[in-house]
Amino acid sequence: MRLVVTGAAGQLGVDLVAVCRRHGDDVVALDRSGLDVADRSAVLGVMTTLRPDAIVNAAAWTAVDACEGDVDRAFQVNALGPRWLREAAELTGSHLVQISTDYVFDGTLDRPYREWDVPNPRSVYGASKLAGERESGPDATIVRTSWVCGANGNNMVKTILRLVEEQDSLSFVDDQRGCPTFTADLAPMVRQLAVERRSGVHHVTNQGDVSWYEFVREVVAETGRDPAMVRAVATADLQPPRPAPRPANSVLDNAALRLAGVPLLRHHREPLRELVAHLIG
Ligand SMILES: NC(=O)c1ccc[n+]([C@@H]2O[C@H](COP(=O)([O-])OP(=O)(O)OC[C@H]3O[C@@H](n4cnc5c(N)ncnc54)[C@H](OP(=O)(O)O)[C@@H]3O)[C@@H](O)[C@H]2O)c1
């Protein structure tokens, strides 16, 4: 099995490459300097040389607020990147796996989002990622995930571990809910979907939905501190407001996996415990 992972230096990319190596796959890890997914001739050149069985696109411009100020860059990376990767996959017979996001939804639904609910992104980032899904074509595997945390890169767990050292109290919003998802669990499922060539949209998250306020309390508790140091605030009270709107409901029902009988990822508290233990030693 030869896999190419783009965005290989990102949070998900690093763990995905590691999981493929553990399985004995022939994995080619390409970070941004190894392959700019927005460069069509580079993408076609690399893929026709490597001729992989599967391409996993873990590359993206993920700076959600910055995307609001540079629409062209967001679409160049997040939408055109998948277009070139799809073209390369069709030329070489590779299976394309495109990683996507809860931000394709507007977050107004009163239940968890299923794969068949109609997307309606409210941010440039979300719109560019939805365009990337569509550019990936009908044969691709689309993996929508949410609130990604891992040992590499920036994420909420790492931010909280830093903030608890600096501040006596923390304020986080209690009106945005989602499922924290850990790359240690997400990466093996992405690999499985790639190996099995399961086409179509798949929601893949750890189980257990929380608000950011509740999640931060869990992280603080894992450090042995009193979660009462975390205060709940409303998104409307954030000063200054963030440039990109966030979905209030980001909870993704992993319905495609569940209905196909594929075991779901475990509750997020277990990988959270493991990650905090790893990070604080
Ligand atoms: N993080 C989350 O909470 C979250 C939630 C839902 C879905 N997702 C999705 O999950 C996937 C992985 O996210 P992540 O958290 O691992 O993000 P990440 O840590 O930001 O990794 C993305 C990687 O892509 C690289 N990249 C950016 N532009 C590129 C280009 N033109 N060509 C090649 N590589 C490029 C980045 O390199 P530089 O650092 O050098 O720019 C970075 O190493 C993305 O598709 C993201 O949209 C993430």
Side-chain angles (χ1 to χ4, degrees):
M1 182 83 193
R2 170 172 280 186
L3 289 108
V4 170
V5 177
T6 59
Q11 278 200 100
L12 175 62
V14 169
D15 279 4
L16 185 58
V17 169
V19 106
C20 291
R21 295 219 162 108
R22 279 202 295 278
H23 276 86
D25 301 328
D26 171 11
V27 56
V28 181
L30 297 173
D31 64 10
R32 180 143 67 115
S33 64
L35 180 64
D36 176 354
V37 295
D39 180 339
R40 177 175 179 265
S41 60
V43 168
L44 296 183
V46 164
M47 297 307 170
T48 50
T49 304
L50 293 172
R51 307 194 78 82
D53 299 298
I55 301 167
V56 181
N57 182 28
W61 192 32
T62 58
V64 173
D65 289 320
C67 284
E68 295 294 310
D70 194 344
V71 180
D72 279 357
R73 181 175 165 193
F75 278 81
Q76 193 174 37
V77 178
N78 296 342
L80 273 184
R83 177 180 293 190
W84 310 143
L85 291 166
R86 173 195 182 171
E87 190 180 349
E90 284 174 355
L91 276 174
T92 56
S94 312
H95 183 70
L96 176 61
V97 179
Q98 168 65 19
I99 312 299
S100 193
T101 170
D102 50 313
Y103 280 56
V104 300
F105 294 117
D106 61 20
T108 58
L109 204 62
D110 59 2
R111 58 162 172 76
Y113 282 92
R114 296 190 195 109
E115 287 83 346
W116 303 278
D117 287 318
V118 179
N120 182 31
R122 295 176 62 220
S123 61
V124 169
Y125 169 73
S128 69
K129 293 292 294 181
L130 179 60
E133 291 187 4
R134 291 174 175 161
E135 292 289 353
S136 301
D139 296 333
T141 302
I142 307 293
V143 174
R144 287 192 195 130
T145 188
S146 62
W147 297 23
V148 174
C149 304
N152 306 283
N154 297 319
N155 58 61
M156 186 59 93
V157 174
K158 286 187 161 182
T159 301
I160 300 310
L161 295 184
R162 180 172 48 79
L163 289 178
V164 293
E165 298 292 337
E166 299 167 356
Q167 300 179 18
D168 296 330
S169 73
L170 306 173
S171 298
F172 278 88
V173 295
D174 200 22
D175 54 5
Q176 293 172 26
R177 295 191 77 77
C179 294
T181 301
F182 290 78
T183 52
D185 292 358
L186 175 62
M189 182 62 84
V190 169
R191 179 191 173 274
Q192 183 184 335
L193 294 171
V195 170
E196 295 178 359
R197 290 188 167 230
R198 285 183 184 254
S199 299
V201 181
H202 293 80
H203 289 175
V204 183
T205 63
N206 280 111
Q207 301 307 295
D209 64 282
V210 279
S211 69
W212 282 115
Y213 160 74
E214 290 165 346
F215 183 53
V216 172
R217 284 172 63 93
E218 291 178 356
V219 180
V220 168
E222 285 300 330
T223 70
R225 291 177 175 79
D226 184 356
M229 76 182 291
V230 189
R231 225 165 41 87
V233 293
T235 302
D237 294 334
L238 288 182
Q239 284 307 329
R242 301 173 90 180
R246 269 67 178 165
N249 174 16
S250 269
V251 183
L252 301 179
D253 180 358
N254 295 192
L257 293 180
R258 190 164 49 74
L259 300 176
V262 178
L264 304 185
L265 305 189
R266 57 196 168 149
H267 195 284
H268 70 260
R269 272 199 216 102
E270 292 178 54
L272 169 62
R273 184 161 303 142
E274 291 163 10
L275 180 60
V276 172
H278 170 76
L279 291 173
I280 65 181

